[in-house]
C-alpha cells in the first residue's frame, strides 16, 4: 500500500484537462510574466476572499517580508510572533533588521497565546504576527483588541489556513488573511491551495498599503523605470497563476475532503488515552492543512518510527522551538524557555491528510496506530 502525506499526482489526474489547457494557453501566448492568468487569478481570489486587494508574489516568505517593508518598520523595532511555527515567520523579521520576540502558544489549538503577552511589550513593539497554524484561525477578535490597545500592526501568516472562516462574537464572518492590516499566504505545492512551483500572495483592505505593496514587489516602481521606494522583484509567474485559477474553484471541495478525513481519524482515534486529537476552535472552521496529534508519555518518536516501518509517512511540525534554532540565538537570553512550545515540540505528530484519501488507507493507518499502543501497553 502506497501512502503519501500529500497526493498531488492523484489530485492532478482529476483536474488534468483544465490544468493542461491553462498551461498550454500560457505557452501559446508566450506571456510568461504578468500574463492574463495572473490578473484573472488575482480577481478570482479577491472575490473568493471578499477582500479589496490581492497582490500576487513569488512565495509566502516574500509575502511576509514585503508586508513588513510596507509598514515602514525600522531596524530595532520588535515584532511579536509565536515560537511554535515555521522558520519563515521569524526569519523575515530578522532579515529586515527587526527583532523577533517569540511568545508561547495555546496547548490545544496551537495558536498564539495572548494571556500574559503584555510582559513581552516594550516601547519598540510595533507589530504582531498571528500564525493560523495547521489550518484554523488564531483568536483574531482578541488579537485585534490587543493590537488596538497597544497600537500594533497585525500581519496574518495564513500560509496554512487559506479558506478558513473566522466568526466574530457579533456573528461577522471573515476569511483568514483578510482580518488584520495585511495577510500573507503561500502557494507551495503541498498547501491547500498550491501551485506547481513557488508562489504567494499578500492581501489587504487598505488602499494605501496595497499601492505600496505593489510598488515594493515590483522594484519600488509604479511607472516603469521610475522607482519611488527600494523594493524587490517578487511576482507570481503566469503558468503558476493558470494552475491556481483551476484549483481555486476546487478549494472548498478540497477543504471538505480534508475535513472528512480528519473526522474519520477523530472518530477512530479519540478513544486512545495516550493521544490527543486536534481541537477545533469554536470560532473558526478548520481546513486541516495538517492533521496533528499530540502523543503523550514520551511515545511520539517511537510511534513515528513504528509507522515508518509500516510504510506510513508522518511528519513533526515542528521539532524545535524557533528560539532554540542556532539562527535565532542572538534574539534570546540564555535559558529562555516557553513551556507549552517545548511540550508541543516533543509531542506533535502529523498524519497523512489530503484530498485524495481513501478509506482503505485510512483504516490501515488507524489500525497500525492502535496496534502500536496495544503493543506498548503489553510490554
Amino acid at each position: 500500500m502506497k501512502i503519501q502525506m500529500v497526493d498531488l499526482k492523484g489530485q492532478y489526474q482529476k483536474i488534468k484537462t483544465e490544468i493542461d489547457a491553462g498551461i498550454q494557453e500560457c505557452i501559446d501566448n508566450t506571456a510568461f510574466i504578468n500574463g492574463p492568468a495572473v490578473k484573472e487569478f488575482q480577481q478570482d481570489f479577491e472575490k473568493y476572499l471578499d477582500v479589496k486587494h490581492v497582490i500576487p508574489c513569488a512565495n509566502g516568505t516574500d509575502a511576509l517580508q514585503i508586508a513588513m517593508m510596507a509598514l515602514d518598520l525600522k531596524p530595532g523595532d520588535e515584532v511579536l510572533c509565536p515560537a511554535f511555527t515555521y522558520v519563515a515567520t521569524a526569519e523575515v523579521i530578522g532579515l529586515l533588521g527587526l527583532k523577533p520576540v517569540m511568545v508561547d502558544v495555546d496547548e490545544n489549538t496551537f495558536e498564539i497565546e495572548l494571556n500574559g503577552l503584555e510582559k513581552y511589550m516594550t516601547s519598540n513593539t510595533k507589530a504582531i504576527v498571528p500564525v493560523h497554524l495547521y489550518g484554523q484561525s488564531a483568536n483574531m477578535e482578541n488579537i485585534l483588541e490587543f493590537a488596538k490597545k497597544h497600537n500594533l500592526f497585525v500581519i496574518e501568516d495564513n500560509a496554512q489556513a487559506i479558506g478558513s472562516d473566522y466568526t466574530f462574537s457579533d456573528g461577522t464572518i471573515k476569511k483568514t488573511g483578510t482580518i488584520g492590516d495585511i495577510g500573507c499566504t503561500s502557494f507551495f505545492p503541498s498547501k491547500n491551495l498550491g501551485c506547481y512551483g513557488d508562489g504567494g500572495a499578500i492581501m489587504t483592505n487598505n488602499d494605501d498599503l496595497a499601492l505600496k505593496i505593489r510598488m515594493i514587489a515590483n522594484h519600488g516602481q509604479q511607472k516603469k523605470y521610475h522607482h519611488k521606494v527600494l523594493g524587490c522583484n517578487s511576482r507570481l509567474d503566469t503558468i503558476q497563476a493558470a494552475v491556481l485559477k483551476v484549483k481555486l474553484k476546487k478549494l472548498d471541495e478540497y477543504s471538505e475532503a480534508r475535513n472528512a478525513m480528519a473526522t474519520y481519524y477523530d472518530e477512530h482515534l479519540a478513544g486512545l488515552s495516550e493521544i490527543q486529537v486536534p481541537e477545533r476552535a469554536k470560532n473558526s472552521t478548520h481546513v486541516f492543512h495538517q492533521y496533528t496529534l499530540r502523543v503523550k508519555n514520551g511515545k511520539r518518536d517511537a510511534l513515528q518510527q513504528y509507522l515508518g516501518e509500516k510504510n506510513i509517512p508522518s511528519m513533526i511540525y515542528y521539532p524545535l522551538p524557533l528560539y532554540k534554532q542556532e539562527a535565532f540565538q542572538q534574539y534570546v537570553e540564555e535559558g529562555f524557555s516557553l513551556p507549552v512550545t517545548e511540550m508541543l515540540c516533543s509531542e506533535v505528530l502529523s498524519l497523512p491528510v489530503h484530498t485524495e484519501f481513501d478509506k482503505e488507507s485510512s483504516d490501515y493507518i488507524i489500525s497500525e496506530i492502535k496496534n502500536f499502543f496495544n503493543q506498548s501497553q503489553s510490554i
Side-chain angles (χ1 to χ4, degrees), residues 149-368:
K149 177 182 177 181
H150 296 284
N151 196 28
L152 305 179
F153 293 114
V154 178
I155 305 163
E156 294 175 77
D157 185 337
N158 196 38
Q160 297 188 18
I162 203 70
S164 177
D165 291 326
Y166 179 82
T167 302
F168 287 81
S169 57
D170 65 0
T172 300
I173 299 175
K174 292 186 178 181
K175 293 287 188 188
T176 51
T178 72
I179 303 169
D181 294 288
I182 304 177
C184 305
T185 198
S186 165
F187 301 129
F188 188 78
S190 63
K191 293 292 192 286
N192 291 37
L193 179 60
C195 56
Y196 292 166
D198 272 319
I202 308 159
M203 295 80 73
T204 185
N205 285 301
N206 184 304
D207 295 339
D208 293 334
L209 278 177
L211 180 65
K212 192 165 187 180
I213 289 165
R214 287 193 181 94
M215 281 196 297
I216 292 170
N218 187 29
H219 294 291
Q221 63 185 345
Q222 279 181 280
K223 182 181 178 182
K224 197 172 180 69
Y225 302 130
H226 294 261
H227 307 272
K228 288 193 172 185
V229 297
L230 292 177
C232 58
N233 178 26
S234 185
R235 55 200 175 201
L236 180 70
D237 74 60
T238 311
I239 287 177
Q240 302 306 336
V243 171
L244 290 166
K245 272 182 60 184
V246 175
K247 295 181 74 174
L248 178 58
K249 293 184 289 186
K250 302 282 187 180
L251 181 55
D252 288 342
E253 178 185 324
Y254 291 162
S255 295
E256 290 173 6
R258 288 173 176 270
N259 265 272
M261 184 62 219
T263 299
Y264 196 77
Y265 277 141
D266 286 352
E267 291 171 349
H268 292 83
L269 295 176
L272 296 174
S273 60
E274 293 179 284
I275 277 181
Q276 181 175 316
V277 299
E279 180 171 306
R280 306 191 192 201
K282 293 180 180 178
N283 53 3
S284 173
T285 60
H286 207 314
V287 296
F288 284 101
H289 175 61
Q290 305 295 346
Y291 182 90
T292 303
L293 301 170
R294 287 177 58 192
V295 185
K296 307 298 184 62
N297 299 327
K299 294 184 178 180
R300 190 269 309 275
D301 293 348
L303 173 59
Q304 185 180 42
Q305 181 178 344
Y306 176 85
L307 293 177
E309 292 168 355
K310 302 298 181 180
N311 296 314
I312 298 171
S314 61
M315 292 293 291
I316 298 171
Y317 305 107
Y318 301 93
L320 276 179
L322 288 181
Y323 56 82
K324 287 194 173 183
Q325 300 283 356
E326 186 175 351
F328 294 104
Q329 292 304 295
Q330 61 185 302
Y331 301 111
V332 293
E333 296 180 0
E334 186 175 354
F336 179 79
S337 176
L338 297 171
V340 174
T341 291
E342 296 197 13
M343 175 179 65
L344 293 177
C345 286
S346 70
E347 290 184 351
V348 293
L349 187 68
S350 296
L351 301 179
V353 61
H354 52 77
T355 59
E356 310 307 309
F357 239 101
D358 61 273
K359 185 175 181 296
E360 182 183 7
S361 298
S362 307
D363 286 341
Y364 176 64
I365 294 169
I366 292 164
S367 174
E368 290 301 338

Side-chain angles (χ1 to χ4, degrees), residues 48-116:
Y48 174 82
L49 294 172
D50 191 22
V51 69
K52 288 181 70 175
H53 303 284
V54 166
I55 302 95
C57 63
N59 55 70
T61 306
D62 276 8
L64 287 164
Q65 180 171 322
I66 292 167
M68 293 181 194
M69 292 170 70
L71 294 171
D72 291 327
L73 301 178
K74 308 298 183 185
D77 285 348
E78 298 176 1
V79 180
L80 302 171
C81 66
F84 186 65
T85 185
Y86 183 59
V87 65
T89 310
E91 181 180 39
V92 297
I93 300 172
L95 281 172
L96 292 173
L98 313 172
K99 180 181 178 181
V101 177
M102 300 171 197
V103 300
D104 222 341
V105 297
D106 181 86
E107 65 180 281
N108 296 310
T109 65
F110 313 120
E111 311 298 343
I112 194 167
E113 176 59 69
L114 291 177
N115 291 332

